[in-house]
Each structure stands twice: as C-alpha cells, then as structure tokens.
Amino acid sequence: MENKNAIKLIEKIQKNLLQNKFNVSEIVEDLKKVREISMQENIPTVTKSLRLAYEHLEKNKAFLISIPADIEENETDSIEDISKFSDSNDIESLEYYLSLLTDLGKKNNILDIKAYNEAFLAF
C-alpha cells in the first residue's frame, strides 16, 4: 500500500510483534483501519484479505495460517498443497503477511496474499 497512514499502522503492528507484544484486539483494530484505507484506494484483494485476517484473529485469538509455499503462476496445485495451518500462533507468518501489504507492486506479493485468502477461507 502506498498510503502513509496505512504503512504506519502496519509498521506499528510489526514493531509490537518484534517486541513480543501480541495483542489481538489491538492488531484487529489496526487491521480494520488499514482495511478502510484499502477500500478508499480500491484494492479489493487486499480489502478482502484484511477482513479475513482480522476475523481469523478474532475467532482464534492467534494467527494459525502458515507462510504459503512458493508457487509458480501457472501451477495448478490446490490450496491444500500450497498452504498449511499452524497448531500454534505463527508470529513469523503474521509478520510475513504484513510485509506483503507494504509492497503491492510485486506480483508475487499479490499471489501470496491470494494464497493467504484461500487459507483463511479453508481454515
């Protein structure tokens, strides 16, 4: 995302995670604000992803989606083949997910966000 306020909110979450501060309600609140910005910027994939992410966090009180496996654009693997769920809170995956949101110009970042979306829906 290019919006400075959205970037600041994402960086705030990332900073807290680096300091081992995992507060679900605070993360959800910040993700909802970032989602509002993505709606204004008309980025539907990100808007949907942010909603799915904060709903997942609210429901599970943890981030239970693993980092998506590397995929090639033309691969036909099903989501079960490229995404796994975590048994415990996967902070590294949440950090990676947030980093994707800060550079939407990279095609692979959008592909990974879509993989996260599929994993959120399959969870």
Side-chain angles (χ1 to χ4, degrees):
M1 298 187 69
E2 295 181 15
N3 183 288
K4 290 181 182 180
N5 290 329
I7 298 294
K8 284 181 184 179
L9 288 166
I10 292 167
E11 288 175 348
K12 174 188 165 197
I13 298 168
Q14 290 172 319
K15 181 180 175 186
N16 286 340
L17 292 174
L18 285 174
Q19 296 173 351
N20 293 322
K21 296 179 185 175
F22 182 80
N23 182 321
V24 171
S25 60
E26 189 175 318
I27 294 170
V28 167
E29 184 179 316
D30 289 340
L31 290 179
K32 285 181 178 181
K33 291 175 186 174
V34 175
R35 182 176 181 266
E36 289 175 19
I37 295 167
S38 74
M39 285 175 28
Q40 293 169 357
E41 291 187 359
N42 195 25
I43 313 170
T45 300
V46 173
T47 300
K48 178 180 181 177
S49 186
L50 288 163
R51 178 183 54 82
L52 293 171
Y54 71 67
E55 287 175 351
H56 176 82
L57 285 163
E58 285 177 320
K59 180 179 178 183
N60 300 292
K61 305 296 184 223
F63 197 81
L64 303 175
I65 307 296
S66 296
I67 295 174
D70 286 339
I71 56 174
E72 296 296 322
E73 183 178 352
N74 296 324
E75 283 187 25
T76 57
D77 294 338
S78 67
I79 188 65
E80 292 80 20
D81 295 333
I82 60 173
S83 180
K84 297 178 184 167
F85 305 121
S86 297
D87 293 329
S88 61
N89 199 11
D90 195 336
I91 299 298
E92 181 182 358
S93 181
L94 177 56
E95 290 171 344
Y96 177 68
Y97 171 76
L98 293 169
S99 73
L100 297 173
L101 300 171
T102 62
D103 190 359
L104 299 176
K106 291 183 180 177
K107 186 176 182 179
N108 286 339
N109 286 4
I110 296 295
L111 290 174
D112 279 355
I113 289 170
K114 288 179 180 181
Y116 271 106
N117 289 354
E118 291 291 327
F120 289 135
L121 291 170
F123 188 81

Short mmCIF file of all heavy atoms in Angstrom, two decimals, residues 48 52 55-56 59-60 64-65 78-86 114-123:
data_model
loop_
_atom_site.label_atom_id
_atom_site.label_comp_id
_atom_site.label_asym_id
_atom_site.label_seq_id
_atom_site.Cartn_x
_atom_site.Cartn_y
_atom_site.Cartn_z
N LYS A 48 -10.37 -7.55 1.07
CA LYS A 48 -10.92 -8.84 1.48
C LYS A 48 -9.95 -9.56 2.42
O LYS A 48 -10.34 -10.12 3.44
CB LYS A 48 -11.19 -9.70 0.26
CG LYS A 48 -11.70 -11.09 0.58
CD LYS A 48 -11.95 -11.89 -0.69
CE LYS A 48 -12.49 -13.27 -0.36
NZ LYS A 48 -12.79 -14.02 -1.58
N LEU A 52 -10.57 -10.92 6.24
CA LEU A 52 -10.39 -12.33 6.58
C LEU A 52 -9.34 -12.49 7.69
O LEU A 52 -9.49 -13.32 8.59
CB LEU A 52 -10.00 -13.14 5.35
CG LEU A 52 -11.06 -13.26 4.26
CD1 LEU A 52 -10.47 -13.89 3.00
CD2 LEU A 52 -12.25 -14.06 4.76
N GLU A 55 -10.80 -11.25 11.07
CA GLU A 55 -11.82 -12.20 11.53
C GLU A 55 -11.17 -13.48 12.05
O GLU A 55 -11.60 -14.04 13.06
CB GLU A 55 -12.80 -12.52 10.40
CG GLU A 55 -13.76 -11.39 10.10
CD GLU A 55 -14.66 -11.67 8.91
OE1 GLU A 55 -14.45 -12.68 8.17
OE2 GLU A 55 -15.60 -10.87 8.68
N HIS A 56 -10.12 -13.93 11.38
CA HIS A 56 -9.37 -15.11 11.81
C HIS A 56 -8.75 -14.87 13.20
O HIS A 56 -8.84 -15.72 14.08
CB HIS A 56 -8.28 -15.43 10.78
CG HIS A 56 -7.38 -16.56 11.16
ND1 HIS A 56 -7.72 -17.87 10.99
CD2 HIS A 56 -6.15 -16.55 11.73
CE1 HIS A 56 -6.73 -18.64 11.44
NE2 HIS A 56 -5.77 -17.86 11.88
N LYS A 59 -11.51 -14.73 15.93
CA LYS A 59 -12.10 -16.04 16.21
C LYS A 59 -11.14 -16.96 16.96
O LYS A 59 -11.53 -17.67 17.88
CB LYS A 59 -12.54 -16.70 14.91
CG LYS A 59 -13.17 -18.06 15.09
CD LYS A 59 -13.60 -18.65 13.76
CE LYS A 59 -14.20 -20.02 13.96
NZ LYS A 59 -14.55 -20.66 12.70
N ASN A 60 -9.87 -16.96 16.56
CA ASN A 60 -8.91 -17.93 17.08
C ASN A 60 -7.97 -17.37 18.15
O ASN A 60 -7.23 -18.14 18.76
CB ASN A 60 -8.08 -18.49 15.93
CG ASN A 60 -8.95 -19.18 14.92
OD1 ASN A 60 -9.53 -20.22 15.19
ND2 ASN A 60 -9.07 -18.59 13.72
N LEU A 64 -3.12 -18.65 12.86
CA LEU A 64 -2.88 -20.08 12.67
C LEU A 64 -2.68 -20.48 11.21
O LEU A 64 -2.87 -21.63 10.84
CB LEU A 64 -4.04 -20.87 13.28
CG LEU A 64 -4.31 -20.60 14.76
CD1 LEU A 64 -5.54 -21.33 15.24
CD2 LEU A 64 -3.10 -20.94 15.61
N ILE A 65 -2.27 -19.53 10.41
CA ILE A 65 -2.00 -19.78 8.99
C ILE A 65 -0.49 -19.74 8.77
O ILE A 65 0.16 -18.77 9.16
CB ILE A 65 -2.69 -18.73 8.10
CG1 ILE A 65 -4.18 -18.62 8.41
CG2 ILE A 65 -2.43 -19.01 6.62
CD1 ILE A 65 -5.00 -19.85 8.14
N SER A 78 -3.62 -27.49 -5.69
CA SER A 78 -4.74 -27.00 -4.89
C SER A 78 -4.20 -26.29 -3.66
O SER A 78 -3.05 -26.44 -3.31
CB SER A 78 -5.65 -28.17 -4.47
OG SER A 78 -4.96 -29.00 -3.58
N ILE A 79 -5.07 -25.53 -3.01
CA ILE A 79 -4.64 -24.79 -1.83
C ILE A 79 -4.14 -25.73 -0.75
O ILE A 79 -3.23 -25.38 0.00
CB ILE A 79 -5.78 -23.87 -1.32
CG1 ILE A 79 -5.26 -22.94 -0.21
CG2 ILE A 79 -6.94 -24.67 -0.78
CD1 ILE A 79 -4.25 -21.96 -0.66
N GLU A 80 -4.66 -26.94 -0.67
CA GLU A 80 -4.19 -27.89 0.32
C GLU A 80 -2.73 -28.23 0.11
O GLU A 80 -2.01 -28.56 1.04
CB GLU A 80 -5.04 -29.16 0.31
CG GLU A 80 -6.46 -28.96 0.79
CD GLU A 80 -7.39 -28.37 -0.25
OE1 GLU A 80 -7.08 -28.45 -1.46
OE2 GLU A 80 -8.41 -27.80 0.15
N ASP A 81 -2.28 -28.15 -1.14
CA ASP A 81 -0.90 -28.48 -1.46
C ASP A 81 0.07 -27.33 -1.17
O ASP A 81 1.25 -27.55 -0.96
CB ASP A 81 -0.76 -28.87 -2.93
CG ASP A 81 -1.51 -30.14 -3.26
OD1 ASP A 81 -1.70 -30.98 -2.36
OD2 ASP A 81 -1.93 -30.28 -4.42
N ILE A 82 -0.44 -26.09 -1.18
CA ILE A 82 0.46 -24.96 -1.06
C ILE A 82 0.34 -24.22 0.27
O ILE A 82 1.13 -23.35 0.55
CB ILE A 82 0.26 -23.96 -2.22
CG1 ILE A 82 -1.17 -23.42 -2.24
CG2 ILE A 82 0.63 -24.60 -3.54
CD1 ILE A 82 -1.39 -22.32 -3.24
N SER A 83 -0.64 -24.55 1.06
CA SER A 83 -0.81 -23.85 2.32
C SER A 83 -1.03 -24.83 3.45
O SER A 83 -1.70 -25.84 3.29
CB SER A 83 -2.01 -22.90 2.22
OG SER A 83 -2.19 -22.22 3.43
N LYS A 84 -0.47 -24.51 4.60
CA LYS A 84 -0.64 -25.36 5.77
C LYS A 84 -1.12 -24.49 6.92
O LYS A 84 -0.90 -23.29 6.94
CB LYS A 84 0.68 -26.03 6.13
CG LYS A 84 1.19 -26.96 5.07
CD LYS A 84 2.52 -27.54 5.47
CE LYS A 84 3.05 -28.40 4.34
NZ LYS A 84 4.44 -28.75 4.52
N PHE A 85 -1.72 -25.14 7.86
CA PHE A 85 -2.18 -24.45 9.04
C PHE A 85 -1.21 -24.72 10.17
O PHE A 85 -0.57 -25.76 10.23
CB PHE A 85 -3.59 -24.90 9.42
CG PHE A 85 -4.57 -24.74 8.30
CD1 PHE A 85 -5.26 -25.82 7.79
CD2 PHE A 85 -4.82 -23.49 7.74
CE1 PHE A 85 -6.16 -25.68 6.75
CE2 PHE A 85 -5.72 -23.33 6.69
CZ PHE A 85 -6.39 -24.43 6.20
N SER A 86 -1.11 -23.79 11.10
CA SER A 86 -0.25 -23.94 12.26
C SER A 86 -1.06 -24.45 13.43
O SER A 86 -2.23 -24.13 13.58
CB SER A 86 0.37 -22.60 12.63
OG SER A 86 1.18 -22.13 11.60
N LYS A 114 -3.26 -13.68 -2.07
CA LYS A 114 -4.36 -14.54 -2.53
C LYS A 114 -4.29 -15.92 -1.90
O LYS A 114 -5.30 -16.52 -1.54
CB LYS A 114 -4.36 -14.63 -4.06
CG LYS A 114 -4.81 -13.34 -4.73
CD LYS A 114 -4.78 -13.45 -6.24
CE LYS A 114 -5.22 -12.13 -6.88
NZ LYS A 114 -5.23 -12.22 -8.35
N ALA A 115 -3.05 -16.43 -1.72
CA ALA A 115 -2.88 -17.73 -1.07
C ALA A 115 -3.32 -17.64 0.39
O ALA A 115 -3.97 -18.58 0.91
CB ALA A 115 -1.43 -18.19 -1.17
N TYR A 116 -2.99 -16.55 1.06
CA TYR A 116 -3.47 -16.35 2.42
C TYR A 116 -4.99 -16.31 2.45
O TYR A 116 -5.63 -16.91 3.31
CB TYR A 116 -2.90 -15.07 3.03
CG TYR A 116 -1.58 -15.24 3.74
CD1 TYR A 116 -0.39 -14.78 3.18
CD2 TYR A 116 -1.50 -15.83 4.99
CE1 TYR A 116 0.83 -14.91 3.84
CE2 TYR A 116 -0.29 -15.97 5.66
CZ TYR A 116 0.86 -15.52 5.07
OH TYR A 116 2.07 -15.67 5.73
N ASN A 117 -5.59 -15.60 1.48
CA ASN A 117 -7.05 -15.52 1.43
C ASN A 117 -7.67 -16.90 1.33
O ASN A 117 -8.64 -17.23 2.03
CB ASN A 117 -7.51 -14.66 0.25
CG ASN A 117 -7.22 -13.18 0.46
OD1 ASN A 117 -6.77 -12.77 1.52
ND2 ASN A 117 -7.47 -12.40 -0.56
N GLU A 118 -7.10 -17.72 0.46
CA GLU A 118 -7.61 -19.10 0.31
C GLU A 118 -7.46 -19.89 1.61
O GLU A 118 -8.35 -20.64 2.01
CB GLU A 118 -6.88 -19.81 -0.83
CG GLU A 118 -7.21 -19.28 -2.21
CD GLU A 118 -8.63 -19.58 -2.64
OE1 GLU A 118 -9.17 -20.64 -2.26
OE2 GLU A 118 -9.22 -18.75 -3.35
N ALA A 119 -6.35 -19.69 2.28
CA ALA A 119 -6.11 -20.40 3.54
C ALA A 119 -7.07 -19.92 4.62
O ALA A 119 -7.60 -20.73 5.38
CB ALA A 119 -4.66 -20.20 3.99
N PHE A 120 -7.31 -18.63 4.69
CA PHE A 120 -8.28 -18.10 5.66
C PHE A 120 -9.65 -18.73 5.43
O PHE A 120 -10.33 -19.13 6.37
CB PHE A 120 -8.42 -16.57 5.55
CG PHE A 120 -7.23 -15.78 6.05
CD1 PHE A 120 -6.73 -14.72 5.31
CD2 PHE A 120 -6.63 -16.07 7.27
CE1 PHE A 120 -5.65 -13.97 5.76
CE2 PHE A 120 -5.55 -15.34 7.73
CZ PHE A 120 -5.06 -14.27 6.98
N LEU A 121 -10.05 -18.82 4.17
CA LEU A 121 -11.36 -19.37 3.83
C LEU A 121 -11.43 -20.88 4.11
O LEU A 121 -12.47 -21.39 4.51
CB LEU A 121 -11.70 -19.09 2.37
CG LEU A 121 -11.97 -17.61 2.05
CD1 LEU A 121 -12.05 -17.41 0.54
CD2 LEU A 121 -13.24 -17.11 2.74
N ALA A 122 -10.32 -21.57 3.90
CA ALA A 122 -10.29 -23.03 4.11
C ALA A 122 -10.16 -23.41 5.57
O ALA A 122 -10.47 -24.54 5.94
CB ALA A 122 -9.13 -23.63 3.31
N PHE A 123 -9.73 -22.48 6.41
CA PHE A 123 -9.46 -22.79 7.80
C PHE A 123 -10.72 -23.23 8.54
O PHE A 123 -11.75 -22.75 8.54
CB PHE A 123 -8.82 -21.60 8.50
CG PHE A 123 -8.34 -21.93 9.88
CD1 PHE A 123 -7.13 -22.57 10.07
CD2 PHE A 123 -9.11 -21.64 11.00
CE1 PHE A 123 -6.67 -22.88 11.34
CE2 PHE A 123 -8.67 -21.95 12.28
CZ PHE A 123 -7.45 -22.59 12.45
#
